[in-house]
Amino acid sequence: MQPAVTTQPTPHLLLRTDSGYRRLLLTGSSCWTIGRSEDNNFVLPDRWISRNHAMLQFMETGEFYLIDLGSRNGSFVNGRRVSIPVTLNNGDHLTFGQTELEFYCPVVKSEPASHEEQSHSREFTATATLHVRRLISVLVVDIRNFTGLTRQLDEKVLSEMIGTWFRHAGDIIREHGSWVDKYIGDAVMAVWIHGTQEVETQEMTQILQALSAMHHMTTDLYNHYPLPAPLRIGAGINTGFAMVGNTGSGDRPDYTALGDTVNAAFRLETATKQIGKDVAVGKTTYEYLSTLGGKINLFTEHSVELRGYDAPALAYACTFNELDTFLKDLGA
């Protein structure tokens, strides 16, 4: 018996206009930008909207995130200004400038499937979400003491500042050969996909250059916003094999990486707080860095406890000043 086919309603934004309603379909991608500029996916001719105002991102978990990109007048969900990426729910009302939209992404409920249908569904899913084992490097960058910052800053200033940080972080990562795979609260994750068995020298250098540029960009925000102190970030880098490919189904695939290499990158970023350094890299990443030359002794070895792991792991850490010295020594 073949399982019944259920049509999944297409996710979309419903835009209110003077002449009625217009649907903005959330299909064909996992990321859509909104703003006044013509280079956006959805161009809204509202003078109160910034040129690059906000972004919607579809995650492999099936969730949609709204990310304000440092807009001057803010992005609002159900009347509340958002300062960090937020999960959208079906029926949420979004406001950009004087433009109002409704987010529409209903969940189709169906009758419980038979055992045969469940087996067929699992087989189909395994085929639809095919992944390839690839050698990758994962970079996770997190804003330090963001929770404390939310208590000290005006909500409007905080929203504009964090949106600016997300936008510039995305630009820097793209300029250095990758993309933002995930926005997680006050952090970003980027993935570099390497050759089948080894990492090119240029690729490893690009990762370090991207991280250094993000550090300098973050520090410079102090010159543009009334912050109580310069903003700081911490980072984890890990290299290894992972399953990479499209996760999701239908017209909303999300290209991402899964596995222990990714999880360890997040744990390494957290470990920088134990170590008292700015950057922590895994053992394999360190070995590739060693082949670049330069003052590799700037990275100090530490045994760290990574949450969820049974045994301590080796991490190699440095400050951003030491990272810049390493890059300068490479002539990068």
Side-chain angles (χ1 to χ4, degrees):
M1 177 180 176
Q2 294 294 324
V5 176
T6 304
T7 302
Q8 177 76 28
T10 304
H12 63 272
L13 297 174
L14 198 61
L15 171 65
R16 297 182 186 181
T17 67
D18 294 337
S19 58
Y21 290 91
R22 175 182 159 206
R23 285 205 312 166
L24 307 177
L25 298 180
L26 301 172
T27 59
S29 179
S30 61
C31 180
W32 303 264
T33 56
I34 300 165
R36 216 174 62 246
S37 174
E38 292 294 329
D39 61 0
N40 289 287
N41 299 103
F42 301 132
V43 180
L44 302 179
D46 178 341
R47 68 188 184 93
W48 299 100
I49 290 177
S50 297
R51 292 180 60 80
N52 300 103
H53 196 101
M55 179 172 69
L56 286 172
Q57 182 161 344
F58 175 71
M59 311 302 288
E60 76 273 10
T61 57
E63 297 174 310
F64 280 87
Y65 276 83
L66 173 67
I67 302 153
D68 184 85
L69 296 177
S71 63
R72 182 165 297 278
N73 293 311
S75 300
F76 296 80
V77 177
N78 300 324
R80 183 170 182 175
R81 186 166 185 160
V82 299
S83 56
I84 62 173
V86 295
T87 306
L88 294 179
N89 297 307
N90 183 45
D92 278 348
H93 292 272
L94 314 183
T95 305
F96 308 118
Q98 295 185 344
T99 301
E100 295 185 4
L101 305 97
E102 183 174 336
F103 174 71
Y104 186 75
C105 184
V107 177
V108 175
K109 295 182 178 180
S110 57
E111 294 297 320
S114 67
H115 177 73
E116 181 183 352
E117 291 171 339
Q118 290 175 354
S119 298
H120 179 90
S121 176
R122 283 194 294 270
E123 181 181 348
F124 173 79
T125 301
T127 303
T129 60
L130 179 66
H131 286 71
V132 178
R133 189 171 184 264
R134 295 294 300 271
L135 181 62
I136 67 169
S137 288
V138 181
L139 168 66
V140 176
V141 181
D142 173 78
I143 296 177
R144 288 285 184 258
N145 194 32
F146 185 75
T147 301
L149 201 61
T150 61
R151 301 192 185 105
Q152 300 177 65
L153 281 185
D154 173 80
E155 190 177 54
K156 184 175 181 179
V157 173
L158 178 70
S159 180
E160 187 174 335
M161 182 274 295
I162 191 66
T164 299
W165 186 80
F166 278 123
R167 184 175 72 249
H168 289 332
D171 290 343
I172 288 169
I173 288 167
R174 283 190 294 273
E175 287 167 6
H176 291 84
S178 182
W179 74 97
V180 175
D181 184 279
K182 288 181 177 62
Y183 293 88
I184 315 101
D186 54 355
V188 295
M189 165 187 155
V191 175
W192 278 260
I193 299 177
H194 307 302
T196 55
Q197 297 296 329
E198 62 181 18
V199 180
E200 296 289 337
T201 300
Q202 180 186 1
E203 293 172 333
M204 190 57 69
T205 305
Q206 278 186 316
I207 298 170
L208 298 183
Q209 289 174 325
L211 179 54
S212 175
M214 288 182 69
H215 161 63
H216 290 291
M217 175 273 292
T218 303
T219 303
D220 187 55
L221 291 177
Y222 183 68
N223 298 318
H224 301 278
Y225 296 97
L227 304 177
L231 204 61
R232 295 176 54 244
I233 56 174
I237 307 174
N238 197 39
T239 304
F241 285 94
M243 302 306 291
V244 179
N246 284 328
T247 301
S249 60
D251 53 12
R252 291 181 288 139
D254 185 49
Y255 194 76
T256 190
L258 304 169
D260 183 65
T261 298
V262 178
N263 296 337
F266 281 91
R267 303 296 182 254
L268 285 166
E269 185 281 317
T270 301
T272 60
K273 299 165 189 175
Q274 301 176 30
I275 298 169
K277 296 278 189 175
D278 300 316
V279 182
V281 307
K283 184 178 180 181
T284 303
T285 304
Y286 178 77
E287 290 170 352
Y288 281 114
L289 292 179
S290 300
T291 67
L292 299 180
K295 298 177 180 177
I296 196 65
N297 61 326
L298 292 173
F299 292 80
T300 54
E301 182 180 307
H302 302 263
S303 177
V304 294
E305 299 285 345
L306 302 183
R307 184 165 60 88
Y309 290 78
D310 295 332
L314 288 179
Y316 299 83
C318 69
T319 65
F320 280 118
N321 286 338
E322 290 166 339
L323 176 64
D324 286 345
T325 299
F326 181 72
L327 286 169
K328 184 178 179 180
D329 197 49
L330 292 178

